[in-house]
Amino acid sequence: MLYGAECWLTKRRHVQQLSVAEMRMLRWFCGHTRRDRVRNEVIRDRVGVAPIEEKLTQHRLRWFGHVQRKPPEAPVRIGVLERVDNIKRGRGRLKLTWDELVKRDLKDWNISKEIALDRSAWRLAINVPEP
């Protein structure tokens, strides 16, 4: 369900749709329906799954750490971290860019991007524990 999620630019609507789909699967897995009126948190604790929004952020930050550890002349680093500011984005495209989204994630999680150079410390910093 999250394959390739590290490159997604997600709107609130997209995260909400993923969350709804995930809860449908978890309810089906537990044998509950919406009519049973079982709270989402109870189902998550029973199955032992972290929220999809946190997992999306973890995947995005894991990819960011991978890109940060690449040498400066690597094509992936040039393409992802360096962008031209005067390009007009097409109609329907998000105004938020991938690097701005990563900066917001780093700020929300209180993580410095210098930690990304140490792989083991970075893995510990971005880990989302399963309940």
Side-chain angles (χ1 to χ4, degrees):
M1 189 169 179
L2 291 178
Y3 179 75
E6 54 273 355
C7 298
W8 293 354
L9 287 175
T10 52
K11 291 184 177 179
R12 274 274 161 229
R13 180 175 52 98
H14 298 142
V15 173
Q16 181 64 29
Q17 288 173 342
L18 280 172
S19 180
V20 168
E22 179 197 28
M23 283 313 300
R24 280 184 185 162
M25 287 184 253
L26 292 177
R27 284 179 186 280
W28 172 76
F29 181 74
C30 289
H32 292 292
T33 62
R34 297 268 302 147
R35 284 187 179 177
D36 297 336
R37 298 181 59 88
V38 179
R39 290 194 158 284
N40 291 347
E41 295 83 21
V42 173
I43 292 177
R44 276 191 200 288
D45 289 339
R46 190 173 296 165
V47 177
V49 177
I52 193 102
E53 186 173 4
E54 292 177 8
K55 285 295 188 181
L56 279 171
T57 304
Q58 179 186 12
H59 281 260
R60 200 168 27 244
L61 290 176
R62 188 170 62 194
W63 176 251
F64 173 73
H66 174 71
V67 171
Q68 281 290 102
R69 286 187 296 275
K70 289 282 185 186
E73 64 275 357
V76 69
R77 187 159 179 163
I78 293 168
V80 170
L81 297 179
E82 295 177 13
R83 65 182 175 93
V84 181
D85 290 330
N86 58 0
I87 292 179
K88 183 181 179 200
R89 298 183 60 83
R91 181 176 169 211
R93 294 285 305 271
L94 292 173
K95 291 186 172 111
L96 185 68
T97 60
W98 185 83
D99 56 337
E100 291 169 352
L101 188 59
V102 168
K103 285 178 188 174
R104 187 178 71 191
D105 291 340
L106 290 172
K107 183 181 171 193
D108 290 347
W109 285 27
N110 294 325
I111 302 174
S112 171
K113 69 179 185 178
E114 286 77 29
I115 299 174
L117 300 176
D118 180 14
R119 187 170 184 265
S120 58
W122 183 250
R123 282 267 170 139
L124 287 174
I126 66 168
N127 186 32
V128 176
E130 300 293 337

